[in-house]
Amino acid sequence: MVRTTVIRKNRYLDSVFLMQVARRIAGQPGLRDASALMATEANRKVLASLGYGDGGRDADFATAGPNDLVLAIEGEAAAVAAIAADADAWLARGSGAASMAAREPRTIPEAVAGRPDCTLAVISVPGEHAAREARLALEAGLHVFLFSSNVSVEDELALKTEARRRGLLVMGPDCGTAYLGGAGIGFANAVRPGSIGIIGPSGTGMQEFACLVHRFGAGISHGIGTGSRDLSDAIGGISTMMGLDALEADPATRLIAVISKPPGEATTARLWERLRRCAKPVVLCLLGAEPGAIEAPGASPLAGAEGTIHVAATLDEAVCLALEELGLPGSAQLRPDGEALRRQAAFATGQLAPEQRHIRGLFAGGTLCYQSQAIFRRAGLAVCSNAPLSGMRQLPDPWVSLGDSFVDLGAGLFVEGRPHPMIDASLRRERLEQEGQDPSVAVLLLDFILGAMSSGDPVGGLLEAILGAQHAAIRKGGRLCVVASVCGTEDDPQGLQNQTRALEEAGVLVFPSHALAAAFCVEVMLQLRNRKEVH
Amino acid sequence: MSLKERINAANEEALRRIVAADPVLVDVAPAGDVIPGLEDRMILHSGPPVTWERMCGAQRGAVIGMCLFEGWAQDPAAAARMLAAGEIALEPNHHHGTVGPMAGTITRNMWVWVVENRAFGNRAFCRQVESFQQFGDHSPDALAGLEKWRDTWGPALGTAVRKMGGVPLKQLVARALLMGDEMHNRVVASSSLFANAVAPHLVVCGLPTEQVVSTLFYAGNHPFLFLGLSMAAAKASMDPVRGVEASTVVTAMARNGTEFGIQVSGLEGEWFTAPAPRVQGLLLPGWKEEDAGLDMGDSAITETVGWGGAALGGAPGILSFTGGTAEQALAFSRDMRGISTGLSPDYLMPALNFEGTAVGIDIRKVVHANLVPVIDTAIAHREPGHGIIGGGIVRPPMECFTKALARFAEKYQG
Amino acid sequence: MPTKVENLLQQRPVFLIVGVRGFGESLRDAGHQVVFLDWSPPAGGDPKLAALLDDLL
C-alpha cells in the first residue's frame, strides 16, 4: 500500500463535486481510499492524520493552501500511480451517471397536473385496481378506456353514473378496441377513416365489423366501446346512449352501427326509444338474439323519426345493411352462397373417416365464439361452450372439449396469469394439439385476429400445430377439416394476405368473414348428421 | 359533506396557511428566555420522543455535550451516569415550538434564532448550526464553538437583529432559491444574503469591535449559517397548520437517529414512527459506510414547507451527493409535486420554468403513489464523540405514512 | 357548445396510459400524443390501505 497526494495549484472545485470525484477514484481496482479536497489547513490536518504528506516531508503538500486542490490516493502502487498520472482527467469528469429521461408521473392526478391536455385514460391495470384508477381519471376530467376486466357491476354502474354526471365517457370495462378519429386504441385494426360510426361492447365484434367495412371500401368515423354489460338492465346503456348522442352530433358520421348482445328488457325499450329519435340511419346488430326478438317491435327496416333503423343478427348482415344504406357496393361477397357452400362442404365431408363427427371451435375472439353459436343455433345445431348462448350446453370442464364444443380461450379462467390468445398462441396451440389427438374431431373452427397489439404472427403461432393435427388425422385414414377466418386488413402489421396465404398453403379453408366460416361449418355438420342417418 | 370533500377542504386550508406564512427573524436569544416550557435540567432533542436507553450514539454524544456545556457534569462519564439515572429530562424540540439540526440539542443557555410568523403571530426557534457538537462531538473544542456562539456571536446577532426591527425571511429565501439554494443542504446563497443584510447593523450597533469583527467573520464565512434560520422559518410556517381538523398534510418530519417520525395536521399531538433509515450519500475523507449513523435531525421541517428535497430541482449543485444528474434533481422535485397539496407562489425554481416548489405533503398521496418524500441531510457517526462525516439524501420509511393513514381513517371514518 | 364526448371524437386525443405500455406504444408509433404513467399498485399493493385510499382520496 502506498499513499500519494497530487496538488493542483489555484484550482477550485465545489466540495460536493470533489467528494464525488473521490468516490469514483476510490472505487477503482487496487485502490483503498481516495479524497479530493481544497487544501485548507483543516483539510491538510485531516489528510495528515490519515497518513498523507509523508510525515511533513512532502513539500508540495506541506505548502499547499486553501486555493489549491489536493487529491489524496491510497492503494496498490501501480493503481495509485495510474490515477496520479491521470489526475486532471479524473477531476474533469462529470458524475458519469447516465442521463435520465424525465421521470414518468406515478399517479393520474400527478400526470394530469403535468399534462393538462390529456383527454383519455387508457387503463389496463389488474381488475382489483381498475375501478380506482378509472375513478381517479374521471375526477381528473378524463374520458376512460377501461381494458381491465373483473370490474364488478356495482363499480361499473358507479363509474358510469359519475362519468355521465361529468359529461365523460367510460368505454368498458373489458373494452378491447376503440377508434377515436384517426386513433385506433387497443386491439384495433388499421381501418380506413370513413362515415360509419360504431358503438359496441368492443371486443372482436367491433374489430370484425370494422375490418369488413374496410375490406369493402368503406371506413369508420369512430368506434365507441361500451363494455359487454352496458346494455344490461343493471347498467341501462349509459355509455351506449352517450355514444349515440355524440355520434349523432358528429359531422363525420353518416350512419351508426350498434353492435350488442341482446339488451336487458327495460333497456331494450329505452334503446328503441332512443334509436327512433336518432337523426341518422342506424344498423342494430343484435348478436345471438332469439329469432323473433329482433323483429320486435316492428318490421325491419323501421322508419325512425329521422333516419332508418335496420336490424341484423350477424356482423356480416350488419355490414351489408350499412353499406347498402350508404349506397356503397361490394357487400355481395358476404351473402352466403348456399349452393357453393353445400358443394364445398360435401367435398370436405367426403374425405372424413366414419368416426370423425365433431366440431371443435377454438376462439381467440369472444364475440366470434358468441356469433358462431348464434349461427349454429339458428341452424338448429347445438354445441357445448364455456360461454354458452342460451339454449347451448355449458361445457362441464372448460379444459376438455365434449362432443361439439366452442371454446372461448380468451375467457377469464384461461387468461389468469397467462397472455390472451390474441397476444400469445401458446394456450390455443396446446388446446389445438389436444383436439388433434381426438379421433372424433372432424372440423376445427379457428379465428385469427390481427392488429397493432395482437401477436406479430397469429397464424405462425398455430401453423405447426395445425399441420400436426392434419397429419394425425391422415394417419388415421381421415382428413381434418380446418376452417378459419382472418380478422384484419392489409395495413395491419401482420398483413391480411400474408396470414391468409399461410393458412391456405396449409390446406386451411379461409373464409372472408367469420360468419361465413361458421356458416360453412353449419353446412358440414348438417351433412355429417345426414351421413349418420344414412349409415 | 363527504369525508373526501372535508379532507380536500382541510388541505386547502392547510395550504393557504403555509403559503400565507410570513417568517421574520426577530431576535437571537437564550433558549431559556424564549422557548416555552424549557426548564432547567432539560435537554430538547431532535426527532420524536426517545429515551436515553434507545438514543443513538451521536445524539447521546450531543446530550452529554449539553450536560458539560451547562455545567451539570464535569466529565462525559458523569454526564452519562446522570442521563442514565434519569436526572435530566429529555423532550422533543417539536413539543416546544422548536427545531434543531442533527442531534438538535437545546438547553436554557443555548442561544436560539427566534422567528416570528407575522401572518399568524406564532414564534419558532432553532439553535445555530455547526459541524461538531450537533453531530455528537463533546470534546472541549466542540463545546468551545457553543460557548463562542453563546458569549459572542449570538448576543451580537441578537443586538443587530433587534436594531433592524427584524429581518424578513420570505423574500430572502425566495432570492436564495433563485441562486441555487434549496434551504436545507445548500444554504450558501442565503447565508451570504443574510450576512450582507446584518453586517452594517452589526458595525453600528455599539458592541465592542472585537465582538463585531468576530461575528462578521463568523456570519460571512459559515456556509450553513442560514440552515438554523431556514429551519426556524419553516417551523414557524408549519405550526399554524397543526390541528386543522381532517387535514392529511404533514406538519413535521423529524428523526432522532433511532426513529423517523412524522406528524399530521388532522392528527395533532400524535407521532407516527418507524426505524430511522440509512442515508444514501457521500462520506468525508477517512470515513467508511460502517461508521455512519442513521438518519437524524429536525431539519426535514424544511421539506414540509416546500424546501429541501422539494426544491432540489433548483439546486443541482448539491446533487452530486447522490451521484445524480441535474435531470435527477428535477425528477426529485417532480416526485415531491406528485405527493403534495399544491405549489408555492413565492418559492420558485428557475430550472422548472419558475414553477413553485411543492408544498404540503399529503399522506394520502404518499401512500397512493407509493412514493415517500425526498430529504436532503447530513450524516453523523454512529458512535458518540464525532463531528460531521458526510451528507446525502434520505427517504423516510413508508411505514410512518401508512401508520398515519390507518390512524387517520380510524379517527375520521366514524 | 359541443359536449365533452363530442370534443373527444373531434379533437386529437392525448392519451394517458395507465397499465400495459403496449397500449401507448402502438398509439405513439401511430403518431399520437401519449403520456405514460409509471403505475404500481397503490400503497405498495396492500389491499387494506388501498381500500382506505378509496374512502379518503
Side-chain angles (χ1 to χ4, degrees), chain B residues 158-380:
Chain B
T159 306
V161 166
R162 286 191 302 274
K163 190 173 162 54
M164 294 167 77
V167 182
L169 299 178
K170 193 167 192 164
Q171 287 184 13
L172 199 156
V173 168
R175 281 167 65 201
L177 285 169
L178 298 183
M179 295 166 77
D181 278 4
E182 42 67 279
M183 314 315 302
H184 188 166
N185 249 7
R186 185 185 163 101
V187 285
V188 178
S190 47
S191 297
S192 248
L193 291 171
F194 175 71
N196 286 344
V198 293
H201 301 278
L202 266 175
V203 169
V204 298
C205 69
L207 293 172
T209 305
E210 197 182 333
Q211 186 180 10
V212 168
V213 170
S214 172
T215 305
L216 283 171
F217 267 103
Y218 170 75
N221 291 286
H222 187 342
F224 279 98
L225 177 75
F226 199 81
L227 177 55
L229 279 159
S230 70
M231 287 174 64
K235 176 67 175 162
S237 301
M238 286 312 293
D239 272 356
V241 183
R242 287 175 174 264
V244 177
E245 195 68 7
S247 169
T248 53
V249 165
V250 173
T251 50
M253 297 191 285
R255 314 88 90 198
N256 55 34
T258 302
E259 282 183 323
F260 195 113
I262 68 166
Q263 296 191 292
V264 176
S265 177
L267 299 169
E268 175 54 9
E270 300 184 49
W271 284 96
F272 304 96
T273 61
R278 186 164 286 285
V279 178
Q280 304 299 313
L282 294 171
L283 298 172
L284 292 165
W287 299 110
K288 302 263 174 278
E289 283 296 324
E290 56 267 29
D291 299 324
L294 302 177
D295 186 31
M296 185 171 73
D298 291 329
S299 53
I301 191 71
T302 55
E303 271 81 9
T304 64
V305 83
W307 304 335
L312 255 180
I318 67 157
L319 228 261
S320 25
F321 258 134
T322 53
T325 61
E327 278 170 350
Q328 256 169 335
L330 293 174
F332 282 133
S333 287
R334 289 197 201 98
D335 275 356
M336 293 297 276
R337 199 179 280 195
I339 55 174
S340 297
T341 306
L343 300 182
S344 168
D346 301 304
Y347 303 124
L348 311 180
M349 288 178 288
L352 281 172
N353 299 323
F354 291 90
E355 285 185 27
T357 61
V359 177
I361 297 163
D362 183 342
I363 57 170
R364 299 174 305 165
K365 294 183 178 179
V366 169
V367 175
H368 180 220
N370 202 20
L371 188 67
V372 290
V374 184
I375 296 171
D376 304 336
T377 196
I379 303 175

Side-chain angles (χ1 to χ4, degrees), chain A residues 269-326:
Chain A
R270 291 190 51 216
L271 180 64
W272 278 108
E273 185 276 325
R274 176 65 188 85
L275 294 180
R276 284 211 181 83
R277 282 191 288 114
C278 186
K280 292 178 178 174
V282 175
V283 173
L284 176 62
C285 177
L286 286 176
L287 292 171
E290 300 286 350
I294 59 169
E295 275 88 35
S300 173
L302 295 158
E306 312 280 345
T308 312
I309 307 170
H310 302 276
V311 182
T314 65
L315 296 165
D316 293 33
E317 286 169 32
V319 172
C320 293
L321 290 167
L323 296 176
E324 282 159 15
E325 173 68 33
L326 293 172

